[in-house]
């Protein structure tokens, strides 16, 4: 096992979480945008599902500010900046080529703020994130680093799917992938909380609020200091 400091482990873990948060929220943003064509007030439900403040004046204000407002800590661009900040601190670990895809994602999103084809530009952001993840698998030799990034990703996806009240069919795959990575022993975790989450999402009725709370309790506290 590689010797990795707690500080570096934090950045690796949160790089996984933030990059997944951007990827999943952009995909849900696409769906929400379609719904808002017929239900303009759906952005209120969207904010409630993600448990973020509804600071928007209208659906059009939401669609623009939620994607591009760097002063909003819950916006897509802010979360992408959080991912990039962690990646920058891991420059030596990730390598230039891998980091370049995160830089491309940030630049793509910033440049699409006033684009008449914003949805197309956002799709390119998703493509850059996918390339970033692929490059991590291809360029980083350390299984520990790859696994911790994926632990962050899988846990974040489950957390977001619980907030969005998705069915267990959506959560089973990331949950099993999370369990497989955690069992490699690269980060400390609470097995009881992991089992509790598993029983919740595989049951006949999912307790979504408890699931969100449990998902945030699985990883030990020392890995929770975000940038």
């Amino acid at each position: 096992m590689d010797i990795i400091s707690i500080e570096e482990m934090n950045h690796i873990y949160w790089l996984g979480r933030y990059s997944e948060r951007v990827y999943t929220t952009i995909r849900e943003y696409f769906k929400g945008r379609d719904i808002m064509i017929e239900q303009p007030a759906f952005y209120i439900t969207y904010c409630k599902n993600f448990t973020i403040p509804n600071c928007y004046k209208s659906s059009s204000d939401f669609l623009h500010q939620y994607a591009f407002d760097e002063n909003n800590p819950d916006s897509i661009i802010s979360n992408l900046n959080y991912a990039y900040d962690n990646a920058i601190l891991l420059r030596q670990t990730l390598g230039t080529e891998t980091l370049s895809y995160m830089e491309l994602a940030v630049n793509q999103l910033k440049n699409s703020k006033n684009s008449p084809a914003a949805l197309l530009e956002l799709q390119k952001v998703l493509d850059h994130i996918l390339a970033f993840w692929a490059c991590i698998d291809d360029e980083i030799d350390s299984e520990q680093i790859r696994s911790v990034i994926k632990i962050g990703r899988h846990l974040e996806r489950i957390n977001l799917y619980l907030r969005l009240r998705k069915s267990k069919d959506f959560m089973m795959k990331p949950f099993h992938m999370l369990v497989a990575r955690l069992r490699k022993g690269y980060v400390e975790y609470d097995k009881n909380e992991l089992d509790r989450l598993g029983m919740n999402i595989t049951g006949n009725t999912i307790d979504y609020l408890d699931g969100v709370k449990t998902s945030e309790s699985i990883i030990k506290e020392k890995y929770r200091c975000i940038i």
Side-chain angles (χ1 to χ4, degrees):
M1 185 182 296
D2 300 322
I3 299 175
I4 300 176
S5 69
I6 294 297
E7 181 180 3
E8 187 175 11
M9 188 75 78
N10 270 312
H11 294 308
I12 295 168
Y13 170 70
W14 283 100
L15 172 60
R17 289 202 65 160
Y18 281 127
S19 60
E20 177 63 45
R21 188 174 301 176
V22 173
Y23 183 80
T24 296
T25 50
I26 288 178
R27 294 179 69 185
E28 292 299 322
Y29 174 85
F30 287 159
K31 296 175 185 177
R33 192 183 184 101
D34 289 340
I35 294 172
M36 275 179 260
I37 294 173
E38 296 185 356
Q39 302 176 42
F42 178 73
Y43 75 93
I44 298 172
T45 301
Y46 185 102
C47 292
K48 183 178 179 181
N49 286 342
F50 276 104
T51 60
I52 60 175
N54 176 15
C55 55
Y56 310 101
K57 300 175 183 178
S58 64
S59 59
S60 59
D61 183 54
F62 167 81
L63 290 171
H64 185 75
Q65 300 300 335
Y66 178 69
F68 305 112
D69 184 4
E70 295 190 61
N71 294 317
N72 180 349
D74 299 305
S75 68
I76 294 173
I77 183 60
S78 289
N79 279 288
L80 184 55
N81 284 335
Y82 301 150
Y84 181 63
D85 288 345
N86 280 284
I88 283 290
L89 293 170
L90 297 167
R91 181 188 297 272
Q92 298 301 318
T93 300
L94 298 176
T96 302
E97 183 177 358
T98 303
L99 181 61
S100 69
Y101 285 107
M102 185 58 69
E103 292 174 333
L104 286 170
V106 172
N107 292 334
Q108 187 77 53
L109 186 51
K110 289 183 177 180
N111 292 337
S112 53
K113 182 174 183 178
N114 298 311
S115 171
L119 292 185
L120 179 60
E121 301 299 329
L122 284 171
Q123 181 59 55
K124 293 178 182 178
V125 175
L126 293 182
D127 293 341
H128 292 319
I129 292 175
L130 288 172
F132 173 72
W133 288 337
C135 210
I136 285 172
D137 279 335
D138 194 51
E139 296 293 330
I140 296 180
D141 293 331
S142 170
E143 182 183 4
Q144 182 178 6
I145 293 171
R146 297 196 307 270
S147 289
V148 174
I149 290 173
K150 290 177 182 179
I151 286 169
R153 283 186 55 201
H154 301 325
L155 189 57
E156 183 68 22
R157 182 168 294 191
I158 293 167
N159 182 280
L160 293 175
Y161 281 1
L162 285 163
R163 293 178 189 275
L164 293 167
R165 305 297 197 271
K166 290 185 179 289
S167 71
K168 65 181 179 182
D169 292 338
F170 285 89
M171 288 180 277
M172 291 309 300
K173 181 177 179 180
F175 177 75
H176 288 309
M177 295 173 76
L178 172 65
V179 171
R181 291 290 171 178
L182 286 173
R183 284 177 175 170
K184 292 180 180 292
Y186 294 133
V187 298
E188 292 183 48
Y189 68 98
D190 190 321
K191 185 179 183 301
N192 291 331
E193 291 294 273
L194 181 65
D195 291 342
R196 178 179 172 184
L197 179 62
M199 288 186 290
N200 186 358
I201 66 176
T202 57
N204 293 327
T205 302
I206 298 175
D207 185 334
Y208 290 101
L209 292 178
D210 183 71
V212 170
K213 181 180 178 181
T214 304
S215 69
E216 294 290 4
S217 301
I218 291 172
I219 303 301
K220 294 294 187 179
E221 185 70 31
K222 65 182 179 180
Y223 300 114
R224 296 185 198 164
C225 54
I226 62 176
I227 190 167

